[in-house]
């Protein structure tokens, strides 16, 4: 007997009869609209949806004074604003202020939690994606988090930690001193503790099915580690997420034909998390001690679009270049400790050389022009995406040639490539959305640069990255580079950083 689904919220809201064929239903698919099972969260610009406070927002971080805004943009459905709304400081006084979330499922949350969910929507969702949009996967996690304690606490911990970091200077991280930041730091620690405890209970309960929200929660812990230091357990979270995905993959396949499978939103989140875990593992492994991570069989191909979508990407690294970097990193692992000899050595040299030629021939402009967008791309945006691609391309060449040097036991001078890369990084400084994607590239450049002027430029770039992201892993990156530069001072030949940087950097995640 065929199972009939309940009428979807989208059809009910459009005042048409739903065919109840599944999720998405046929009418929503035909109409080109997203099919929601339940009414989605509604966001309003301003502290109230109606009444005297309609059209006001709390722009002033210092005193929370309402500032009038245009009534023509009072509300939207899960749509980010063109310019971010400053949020009121999370101090004891400000927590009694109204928040901008108007949804029945929010009624059980206290004011602090509502504040940080609002903060997550405004700040965090656009931080870990190239371009923010209505289809931002991080924003889609909010509705799931309202019904899942692990995911909810993870969201709150991310928001609170980012807020606590905002008052910190780049050159000297210290304990917060203002009342608002002290509270935010305390909130971040509490929410993280609650999230980890809730996760532990879920994972230890054999009767509880491990769901997509459990994987999403672990996924967010990786980003929490970026905000905390980048070296406090991201690799353990990554391994846990990979293990969980691998363990429940057969169950997902068995359920694929039941009730037409998971909803479109769940499928998109599932595919996004798998692809971003693949990215984090690939770029993260390049600066780790060799063979520290297990191999993850990435099985997201069926859930990905025919074309790459920049609005579904964490860092905007082209998939081809990501695959090339993964290949080069695997080559490094294969020769770590002892070089092969004879035919095996020649095979490694030939394979690495062939991959570097493919990277060299990669057309960044063609890639940027072919990206799938939900909106029309301006020529300047395509050029900037081309520049972003070029930074990853040159970073891959610098990294790969040092691996080839280890195989051939020669040292290649790469000054021209380094100079070109620094110029590209400088160009991206004017585009904050893209500049926040290039920490991996900046770090590669830092390992290769030699002059004081180049080093000063990269330290300034790291400080700008800190201002844009407030992720403490950039502070770790700056310290690692300074220690490395001091270690290399006066040496005629550079150390083989492709092998040694993991030990010097405490296996930090530098993305």
């Amino acid at each position: 007997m065929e199972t009939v689904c309940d009428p979807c919220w989208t059809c009910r809201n459009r005042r048409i009869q739903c065919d109840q064929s599944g999720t998405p239903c046929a009418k929503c698919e035909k109409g080109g609209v997203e099919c929601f099972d339940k009414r989605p969260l509604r966001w309003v610009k301003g502290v109230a949806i109606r009444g005297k406070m309609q059209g006001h927002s709390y722009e002033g971080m210092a005193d929370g004074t309402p500032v009038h805004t245009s009534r023509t943009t009072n509300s939207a459905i899960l749509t980010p604003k063109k310019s971010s709304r400053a949020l009121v400081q999370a101090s004891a006084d400000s927590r009694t202020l109204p928040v901008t979330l108007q949804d029945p499922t929010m009624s059980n949350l206290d004011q602090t939690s509502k504040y940080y969910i609002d903060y997550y929507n405004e700040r965090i969702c656009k931080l870990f994606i190239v371009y923010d949009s209505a289809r931002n996967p991080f924003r889609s996690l909010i509705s799931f988090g309202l019904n899942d304690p692990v995911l909810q606490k993870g969201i709150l911990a991310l928001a609170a930690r980012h807020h606590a970091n905002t008052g910190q200077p780049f050159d000297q991280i210290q304990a917060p001193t203002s009342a608002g930041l002290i509270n935010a730091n305390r909130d971040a620690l509490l929410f993280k503790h609650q999230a980890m405890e809730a996760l532990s209970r879920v994972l230890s309960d054999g009767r509880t099915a491990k769901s997509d929200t459990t994987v999403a929660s672990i996924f967010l812990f990786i980003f929490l580690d970026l905000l905390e230091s980048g070296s406090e357990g991201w690799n353990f979270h990554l391994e846990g997420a990979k293990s969980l995905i691998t363990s429940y993959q057969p169950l997902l396949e068995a359920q694929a034909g039941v009730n037409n499978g998971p909803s479109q939103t769940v499928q998109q989140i599932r595919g996004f998390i798998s692809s971003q875990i693949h990215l984090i593992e690939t770029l993260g492994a390049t600066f780790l001690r060799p063979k520290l991570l297990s191999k993850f069989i990435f099985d997201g191909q069926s859930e990905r679009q025919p074309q790459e979508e920049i609005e579904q990407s964490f860092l905007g690294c082209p998939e081809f270049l990501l695959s090339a970097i993964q290949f080069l990193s695997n080559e490094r692992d294969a020769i770590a400790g002892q070089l092969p000899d004879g035919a095996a050595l020649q095979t490694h040299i030939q394979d690495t050389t062939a991959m570097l030629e493919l990277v060299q021939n990669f057309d960044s402009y063609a890639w940027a022009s072919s990206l799938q967008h939900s909106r029309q791309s301006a020529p300047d945006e395509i050029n900037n995406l081309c520049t972003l691609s070029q930074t990853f391309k040159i970073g891959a060449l610098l990294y790969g040639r040092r691996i080839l040097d280890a195989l051939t036991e020669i040292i290649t001078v790469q000054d021209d490539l380094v100079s070109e890369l620094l110029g590209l990084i400088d160009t991206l400084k004017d585009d904050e959305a893209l500049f926040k994607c290039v920490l991996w590239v900046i770090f590669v450049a830092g390992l290769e640069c030699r002059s004081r002027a180049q080093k000063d430029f990269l330290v300034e770039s790291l400080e700008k990255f800190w201002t844009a992201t407030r992720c403490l892993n950039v502070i770790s990156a700056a310290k690692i580079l300074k220690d490395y530069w001091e270690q290399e001072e006066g040496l005629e030949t550079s150390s083989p950083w492709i092998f040694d940087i993991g030990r010097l950097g405490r296996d930090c995640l530098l993305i």
Side-chain angles (χ1 to χ4, degrees), residues 217-268:
S217 303
I218 300 173
F219 176 65
L220 289 188
F221 291 151
I222 297 173
F223 292 93
L224 181 59
D225 194 53
L226 292 180
L227 290 170
E228 292 180 330
S229 71
S231 60
E232 298 297 330
W234 70 270
N235 51 322
F236 296 106
H237 297 316
L238 184 69
E239 292 296 306
K242 291 190 296 185
S243 176
L244 206 53
I245 290 173
T246 302
S247 66
Y248 78 47
Q249 192 64 39
L251 178 62
L252 296 178
E253 293 172 356
Q255 293 177 340
V258 179
N259 294 331
N260 297 293
S263 70
Q264 184 180 10
T265 302
V266 171
Q267 286 180 317
Q268 289 172 346

Side-chain angles (χ1 to χ4, degrees), residues 177-433:
T177 54
S178 69
L181 297 181
I182 289 173
N183 283 336
N185 184 61
R186 186 184 301 116
D187 291 336
L189 294 172
L190 175 62
F191 289 138
K192 180 182 178 181
H193 175 72
Q194 291 173 339
M196 297 300 290
E197 278 198 332
L199 177 63
S200 178
R201 287 194 297 270
V202 170
L203 295 178
S204 61
D205 188 350
R207 298 168 299 176
T208 304
K210 311 307 182 287
S211 63
D212 291 287
T213 54
T214 307
V215 176
S217 303
I218 300 173
F219 176 65
L220 289 188
F221 291 151
I222 297 173
F223 292 93
L224 181 59
D225 194 53
L226 292 180
L227 290 170
E228 292 180 330
S229 71
S231 60
E232 298 297 330
W234 70 270
N235 51 322
F236 296 106
H237 297 316
L238 184 69
E239 292 296 306
K242 291 190 296 185
S243 176
L244 206 53
I245 290 173
T246 302
S247 66
Y248 78 47
Q249 192 64 39
L251 178 62
L252 296 178
E253 293 172 356
Q255 293 177 340
V258 179
N259 294 331
N260 297 293
S263 70
Q264 184 180 10
T265 302
V266 171
Q267 286 180 317
Q268 289 172 346
I269 292 175
R270 187 180 294 166
F272 172 76
I273 290 176
S274 293
S275 62
Q276 301 321 305
I277 283 176
H278 173 59
L279 180 145
I280 292 167
E281 176 185 58
T282 298
L283 294 183
T286 56
F287 300 134
L288 296 183
R289 288 166 291 162
K291 305 177 183 178
L292 188 66
L293 296 178
S294 65
K295 299 303 178 184
F296 177 53
I297 306 301
F298 176 55
D299 191 29
Q301 193 69 38
S302 61
E303 294 170 351
R304 286 151 59 195
Q305 298 293 327
Q307 291 177 291
E308 294 180 55
E309 289 189 79
I310 198 66
E311 291 157 335
Q312 297 284 302
S313 176
F314 168 29
L315 296 179
C317 179
E319 288 186 8
F320 170 78
L321 293 179
L322 191 64
S323 297
I325 292 169
Q326 183 181 46
F327 174 88
L328 295 168
S329 180
N330 289 340
E331 285 292 290
R332 181 203 70 156
D333 287 4
I335 63 174
Q338 183 176 1
L339 278 177
D341 53 20
L345 176 61
Q346 291 305 311
T347 298
H348 282 290
I349 291 174
Q350 291 170 6
D351 290 347
T352 302
T353 302
M355 180 55 74
L356 288 173
E357 289 176 356
L358 291 173
V359 172
Q360 182 68 58
N361 294 330
F362 179 74
D363 190 332
S364 291
Y365 188 82
W367 170 81
S369 301
S370 68
L371 285 173
Q372 184 174 339
H373 297 262
S374 63
R375 66 191 190 286
Q376 187 67 31
S377 298
D380 286 348
E381 184 175 288
I382 293 176
N383 288 332
N384 289 346
L385 286 169
C386 175
T387 301
L388 177 65
S389 171
Q390 281 289 104
T391 65
F392 281 108
K393 174 179 174 177
I394 296 178
L397 288 173
L398 291 170
Y399 185 84
R401 286 182 179 178
R402 287 302 173 222
I403 295 169
L404 188 59
D405 285 355
L407 288 165
T408 57
E409 298 184 316
I410 62 174
I411 298 177
T412 303
V413 176
Q414 305 198 93
D415 293 348
D416 290 344
L417 273 180
V418 172
S419 297
E420 183 181 354
L421 182 55
L422 295 180
L424 294 170
I425 293 171
D426 191 44
T427 300
L428 287 178
K429 282 185 175 181
D430 295 330
D431 190 334
E432 185 173 294

